[in-house]
Amino acid sequence: MSQQEYIQSALRVLEIEGQAIKQLSQYIDDSFIAACELMKNCKGKVVVCGMGKSGHIGHKISATLASTGTPAFFMHPGEANHGDLGMLTEQDVLLAISNSGETSELLALLPVVKRRGIAIIAMSNNPSSSLGKHADVNLCIKVEKEACSLGLAPTASTTATLVMGDALAVALLDARGFTPDDFALSHPGGALGRKLLLKLDDIMCQGELMPLVGTTQTISQALLEISRKGLGMAGIVGDDGSLLGIFTDGDLRRVLDARVDIHTVSIESVMTANCVTASQETLAAEVLNVMQKRKISSLFIVDDNHQPVGAINMQTLLSAGVI
């Protein structure tokens, strides 16, 4: 093959699989709602089952469900026929994946599953298949053609199955009100979990590292404090130690534009009062979102008495891996 033929082959695959995904929208219907309700109300776990390529996709679907608030695991149908079916309980829901709906290893499980009264959600391209006829709910994943040039290898069909699984997981995530905190608890060991679990208390500058000045100090004195501490701001505190306001690099530009004498004017007269603050128990990722929405690059962390206990800026968040 020439280099151009490699590219044409790849682009054809992307086109076919992209079209397969678009066509899935017609199957997001009452059956999809019924499947979501079954899984949401499940008192046990969602047990995903599939053979071959469907099994590989099933592994990913079960992992996505489990990490987004829907307890789930994968059960290999071949092993299930030889004892692993004991994993399944009457409180569970079986999500059975078979593109044809005629996978023998899956069909062999159905009599026992039905006898035990376990709900079955079928994911196949044919609701009239043997699997479809025994299922309580059918999710159609039919595609017009495979992306394989032979029309044989599972390609577009497995992509459609994966996307349908993601649609289920995310719909359930939204229905459960699953939060970033919940997500972090499912991913404590990875970089994503560490990022989401970080609190301001873990990363903030404290003690002598905080840039603080009194109300009577001049703008020039405040600028020296800003330069020494390197956070691009200074906090103005009252006699009781509470935070009254903040002075940032942006405030300095406005002061210079107004031709204010920085050597005589007090910092209190030009500070920004009622500035945005945060609690040290707040998640760093949450504060990043606030800072981006408010278009600010630094803030102070205060205690219940509104006294500053820490300070952060965007560089702090970047160094901590939150950005």
Side-chain angles (χ1 to χ4, degrees):
M1 289 177 65
S2 66
Q3 292 182 351
Q4 188 59 36
E5 286 174 323
Y6 280 122
I7 292 174
Q8 289 175 347
S9 179
L11 291 176
R12 180 178 54 81
V13 170
L14 297 181
E15 174 64 27
I16 293 173
E17 298 205 10
Q19 190 61 34
I21 293 173
K22 289 180 181 178
Q23 291 175 348
L24 279 182
S25 59
Q26 64 185 303
Y27 305 129
I28 306 300
D29 51 18
D30 290 344
S31 293
F32 183 84
I33 296 172
C36 287
E37 287 294 315
L38 267 179
M39 296 166 76
K40 180 186 175 186
N41 297 324
C42 175
K43 302 299 183 184
K45 292 180 172 59
V46 175
V47 181
V48 184
C49 197
M51 196 72 187
K53 301 299 185 294
S54 293
H56 294 308
I57 298 299
H59 270 288
K60 195 275 179 184
I61 292 175
S62 67
T64 300
L65 287 168
S67 69
T68 53
T70 300
F73 65 87
F74 179 81
M75 179 178 70
H76 192 286
E79 298 296 337
N81 278 299
H82 295 277
D84 280 5
L85 191 56
M87 296 177 177
L88 201 60
T89 73
E90 284 76 7
Q91 302 297 313
D92 298 332
V93 169
L94 180 66
L95 176 58
I97 306 172
S98 169
N99 190 44
S100 66
E102 301 295 342
T103 303
S104 58
E105 292 87 350
L106 265 181
L107 298 182
L109 303 176
L110 298 184
V112 177
V113 175
K114 297 295 290 184
R115 181 179 177 182
R116 296 173 64 184
I118 297 168
I120 301 173
I121 301 171
M123 199 181 286
S124 74
N125 70 17
N126 183 11
S128 299
S129 63
S130 299
L131 175 60
K133 289 176 181 177
H134 288 89
D136 297 278
V137 177
N138 275 283
L139 293 176
C140 188
I141 49 170
K142 186 176 182 178
V143 298
E144 288 187 358
K145 59 181 178 179
E146 298 288 5
C148 166
S149 56
L150 301 176
L152 299 174
T155 44
S157 59
T158 49
T159 298
T161 306
L162 181 62
V163 172
M164 183 63 82
D166 285 344
L168 285 170
V170 174
L172 288 166
L173 176 152
D174 291 338
R176 296 181 192 279
F178 200 70
T179 67
D181 288 359
D182 298 322
F183 191 83
L185 292 173
S186 299
H187 301 74
L192 183 59
R194 290 193 296 274
K195 170 182 172 180
L196 291 173
L197 287 171
L198 271 179
K199 294 181 179 179
L200 293 182
D201 192 34
D202 300 317
I203 62 173
M204 65 187 187
C205 299
Q206 304 177 59
E208 291 298 318
L209 297 177
M210 289 189 294
L212 299 173
V213 296
T215 56
T216 60
Q217 290 184 272
T218 63
I219 298 173
S220 60
Q221 290 173 321
L223 291 177
L224 289 175
E225 180 72 356
I226 292 173
S227 298
R228 280 194 295 264
K229 302 302 171 63
L231 290 178
M233 66 170 178
I236 296 82
V237 293
D239 294 337
D240 61 353
S242 62
L243 185 70
L244 302 178
I246 191 173
F247 188 81
T248 67
D249 291 339
D251 294 318
L252 175 61
R253 286 191 291 273
R254 287 187 286 273
V255 164
L256 293 177
D257 286 341
R259 299 184 182 279
V260 173
D261 186 348
I262 65 172
H263 299 292
T264 60
V265 175
S266 70
I267 193 66
E268 184 181 22
S269 64
V270 294
M271 71 181 185
T272 299
N274 302 316
C275 54
V276 178
T277 60
S279 163
Q280 60 195 90
E281 292 299 312
T282 306
L283 290 173
E286 182 181 348
V287 170
L288 172 61
N289 186 43
V290 171
M291 292 171 70
Q292 289 175 329
K293 285 183 177 178
R294 299 293 293 270
K295 293 182 169 54
I296 58 177
S297 59
S298 52
L299 58 75
F300 278 94
I301 296 91
V302 297
D303 61 16
D304 294 339
N305 296 318
H306 208 66
Q307 294 186 342
V309 294
I312 63 164
N313 64 3
M314 284 295 184
Q315 183 61 44
T316 310
L317 297 172
L318 180 63
S319 298
V322 180
I323 299 177

